[in-house]
Amino acid sequence: MMPHAPSASPSPSGAFSWTPLRLVSPALLLLATLLTGCATQNPGLPSDPVLTTGQSTPTTDAPALPDGQLQAITPGKIGSYQIAPTEPPKELWERIRRGFAMPDLQGDLVTDREQWYANRPDYTLRMTERSSKYLFHIVEELERRQMPTELALLPFIESAFNPQAVSSAKAAGMWQFMPATGKYFSLKQNMFRDDRRDVLASTRAALDYLQKLYGMFGDWHLALAAYNWGEGSVARAIAKNQKAGLGTSYSELNMPAETRLYVPKLQAVKNIIANPGGFRTELPLIENHPYFQQVQISRDIDVALAARLADVKLEDFKALNPSAHRPVILASGTPQILLPWDNALVFQRNFDAHTDGQYASWTAWVAPRTMKPAEAAEQTGMDEAELRSVNKIPAHMLIKAGSTLLVPRSSAKAQDDVTNHVADNAQVSLAPEIVLQRKTVKARKGESVASIAKRYSLTLSSVADWNNVSAGSAFKRGSSVVLYLPVRMGRAQAEEPSHGKAGKAAKAGKAAGKAGKAARHEGAKAAKHSESKKAGKAGKAGKAKRH
């Protein structure tokens, strides 16, 4: 069945309001609402119940009922309406199947991917079991937006439904957002949280983006290609085929191998979900019921304590709250947490009754000036090694003024919770203790990356990265070789390093390697992984995946 085209109009908040295309009579809509009852009250939606610490009972909005006077259905009008089933599916897989609305893709690539998944039943089972925590919410969001439920299967392709997944291109979360793309779609990323991993926020952003792409191309297969390859790349491929008088469908465009396999992978998963027995695949039972519930927190709280108060395993708590990548959750930055449905009320009661000390043993400390880690440790009453470890500060680095560090609350002598400004903008900015200077030297006869690295007591990878060559490359005699050397050793080393300084030079070279490599790859990484295509301005957004 061809996908239905939702009509959208932007709201002041940037969201979309959708006009339903499958019309039912007000009477049938009311009947379906009454029969489904509480099954329509789900987390992540405007009418969801959200438990709040400090009150004993959950609050819910009034159920939405049709406006206006109900009209009777005459016999002559019965055939013009689509009748909605009054009994919802008992399991979520069936609900997903009912919502399939994309055209099927046929071909050898689909068959190949079907066999790949079918031949790995253990992997498929682990992946589908992992999805059970998140699928209900995603399906609810898709149905609310009137989008095909095939899209609920996309995290299988992106991350195997692992919200902690990070690709080699630094894409993160189960929807695999690049850093700049996440910022474009209002996903906060700072030292306390990464909303690219957040279950609710990343799902909202991913569906916003997919809706945007479908609005651009009017075809779900092309929209998916753009999600993977970048909308600018897809638009150029379409324009190229149009100019050559060729077709512009997904199968007819010239695209990278990864994108060529992207939709066939999704089609293969769709086919397996539609008919698991045909592929000798077992799907875990996922009930058509919310897995989690939102709970509002009013105080900063340690992750370990939150899990204990909810009576859930720490790994299960982290699976539902993967954006919290520090040992403390800040109420001003992350005011709501997700908990298994039956544990939400347990947490609420235990939180309100908690009297055994403070909720948070960690807090934030802002560096008043640029300083060495040893100075920061002394000011906060921490051991330097612990401060470096907790805040991931490497050796030979300075902490720049305004950086936010995670420190024990007792050490910081602060009992108040972290402010909203700090929680939303906390970053750690570092500078090398050794000032590096760019030098250009001439290669001697027969010189290679290895000989240059040895001559200046640098690492092979540093010299190779600075000069855009492989570690085994050779240089032509007289060619310019770029090096990053500490200022204090620049002139002496530019001619010939002394053996007595080799050890210090090697350490400085490693630090230089990290700084130089980061600078050199700033633009190249964006081009290679299409981050600049996916995140900047409209019409130039793109995202690379690691599949």
Side-chain angles (χ1 to χ4, degrees):
M1 181 172 64
M2 293 298 292
H4 56 273
S7 59
S9 59
S11 67
S13 64
F16 290 86
S17 59
W18 298 94
T19 303
L21 298 187
R22 296 176 179 175
L23 301 178
V24 295
S25 72
L28 288 176
L29 181 60
L30 176 60
L31 179 60
T33 302
L34 294 175
L35 288 175
T36 53
C38 62
T40 63
Q41 299 294 319
N42 304 307
L45 300 178
S47 60
D48 288 350
V50 179
L51 292 183
T52 305
T53 51
Q55 65 182 45
S56 59
T57 57
T59 60
T60 61
D61 296 332
L65 297 175
D67 295 329
Q69 185 175 2
L70 300 180
Q71 300 293 329
I73 302 177
T74 63
K77 292 183 178 180
I78 291 179
S80 62
Y81 294 108
Q82 290 185 349
I83 307 300
T86 58
E87 182 178 351
K90 290 184 173 58
E91 62 161 348
L92 195 59
W93 297 119
E94 179 57 31
R95 182 176 174 183
I96 292 173
R97 295 180 192 113
R98 292 184 186 182
F100 285 164
M102 287 187 191
D104 286 331
L105 187 70
Q106 309 289 342
D108 294 339
L109 292 179
V110 175
T111 303
D112 176 76
R113 292 298 88 188
E114 288 173 344
Q115 294 175 350
W116 191 94
Y117 287 113
N119 290 336
R120 292 163 176 79
D122 293 341
Y123 169 79
T124 303
L125 183 60
R126 287 196 306 272
M127 186 169 61
T128 49
E129 286 179 338
R130 192 184 298 131
S131 73
S132 63
K133 295 179 174 66
Y134 319 111
L135 264 180
F136 182 90
H137 171 72
I138 297 173
V139 172
E140 285 280 295
E141 278 290 292
L142 288 170
E143 291 182 348
R144 184 176 68 86
R145 297 170 182 240
Q146 302 224 350
M147 298 172 72
T149 53
E150 287 97 331
L151 297 175
L153 310 178
L154 194 58
F156 285 124
I157 313 305
E158 289 291 336
S159 63
F161 262 102
N162 180 5
Q164 296 287 8
V166 180
S167 76
S168 59
K170 305 304 180 185
M174 64 182 176
W175 294 99
Q176 289 288 281
F177 274 96
M178 295 290 288
T181 313
K183 291 178 182 177
Y184 183 82
F185 285 97
S186 303
L187 297 177
K188 286 278 187 180
Q189 300 158 61
N190 57 43
M191 70 167 292
F192 287 107
R193 80 180 200 260
D194 185 348
D195 284 349
R196 296 178 299 158
R197 296 181 171 94
D198 185 86
V199 176
L200 304 186
S202 68
T203 298
R204 183 268 308 160
L207 301 192
D208 284 351
Y209 189 35
L210 287 164
Q211 283 181 329
K212 174 180 180 289
L213 294 172
Y214 181 70
M216 291 178 63
F217 298 106
D219 179 281
W220 280 115
H221 291 167
L222 294 178
L224 288 166
Y227 188 85
N228 174 259
W229 189 22
E231 60 209 59
S233 299
V234 172
R236 286 189 292 272
I238 290 174
K240 183 177 180 180
N241 274 27
Q242 288 175 334
K243 186 176 180 180
L246 301 174
T248 58
S249 68
Y250 173 84
S251 300
E252 294 170 299
L253 296 183
N254 184 24
M255 58 184 66
E258 179 185 309
T259 309
R260 173 64 61 208
L261 269 174
Y262 193 67
V263 176
K265 284 182 180 180
L266 183 63
Q267 182 68 52
V269 172
K270 172 185 176 179
N271 294 345
I272 292 172
I273 298 302
N275 181 23
F279 297 94
R280 304 184 306 280
T281 299
E282 180 182 355
L283 297 179
L285 173 64
I286 303 180
E287 295 182 354
N288 188 23
H289 181 279
Y291 182 88
F292 57 74
Q293 186 173 179
Q294 299 177 66
V295 180
Q296 188 169 352
I297 57 174
S298 56
R299 297 292 307 275
D300 296 353
I301 185 170
D302 290 344
V303 170
L305 176 61
R308 181 162 61 84
L309 294 181
D311 194 25
V312 299
K313 295 180 180 178
L314 184 60
E315 57 266 31
D316 292 335
F317 181 89
K318 290 181 176 181
L320 287 177
N321 301 276
S323 65
H325 52 78
R326 294 289 180 169
V328 63
I329 298 174
L330 306 183
S332 56
T334 310
Q336 292 180 346
I337 59 175
L338 302 183
L339 292 172
W341 189 266
D342 294 334
N343 297 86
L345 190 58
V346 173
F347 173 85
Q348 181 197 35
R349 290 171 177 169
N350 289 338
F351 183 96
D352 293 340
H354 180 70
T355 57
D356 186 17
Q358 56 195 4
Y359 290 102
S361 58
W362 296 91
T363 189
W365 178 81
V366 180
R369 56 182 175 80
T370 299
M371 60 179 65
K372 294 181 178 181
E375 297 177 76
E378 183 178 0
Q379 289 200 21
T380 58
M382 292 181 70
D383 176 75
E384 181 183 353
E386 182 187 17
L387 181 135
R388 286 183 179 275
S389 174
V390 169
N391 294 282
K392 300 178 181 178
I393 302 173
H396 308 298
M397 300 299 286
L398 297 174
I399 302 166
K400 297 181 71 173
S403 292
T404 303
L405 302 183
L406 185 67
V407 300
R409 183 176 285 237
S410 57
S411 300
K413 299 178 181 179
Q415 297 304 315
D416 294 335
D417 288 339
V418 177
T419 65
N420 183 72
H421 176 76
V422 173
D424 277 347
N425 300 282
Q427 299 288 348
V428 178
S429 298
L430 304 175
E433 286 188 86
I434 301 173
V435 178
L436 304 176
Q437 187 173 4
R438 187 179 188 272
K439 293 287 184 180
T440 302
V441 299
K442 299 295 183 182
R444 301 170 180 174
K445 182 180 179 179
E447 286 228 286
S448 63
V449 170
S451 63
I452 291 284
K454 183 177 180 181
R455 175 149 59 114
Y456 295 98
S457 300
L458 301 169
T459 63
L460 283 173
S461 60
S462 297
V463 177
D465 286 334
W466 294 333
N467 293 276
N468 243 343
V469 297
S470 66
S473 297
F475 296 110
K476 292 183 179 180
R477 182 179 181 179
S479 61
S480 297
V481 180
V482 175
L483 302 175
Y484 285 85
L485 303 174
V487 171
R488 67 167 182 251
M489 58 176 277
R491 290 185 179 179
Q493 297 293 336
E495 293 300 328
E496 192 69 37
S498 63
H499 295 293
K501 295 182 179 180
K504 293 182 179 179
K507 292 181 179 180
K510 291 180 180 179
K514 293 179 181 179
K517 181 177 179 181
R520 185 180 68 79
H521 281 302
E522 184 64 25
K525 185 188 292 182
K528 180 178 179 182
H529 301 296
S530 303
E531 180 174 348
S532 61
K533 296 177 184 177
K534 182 179 173 185
K537 300 178 181 178
K540 292 200 173 191
K543 181 159 72 103
K545 304 298 180 299
R546 58 176 181 88
H547 302 289

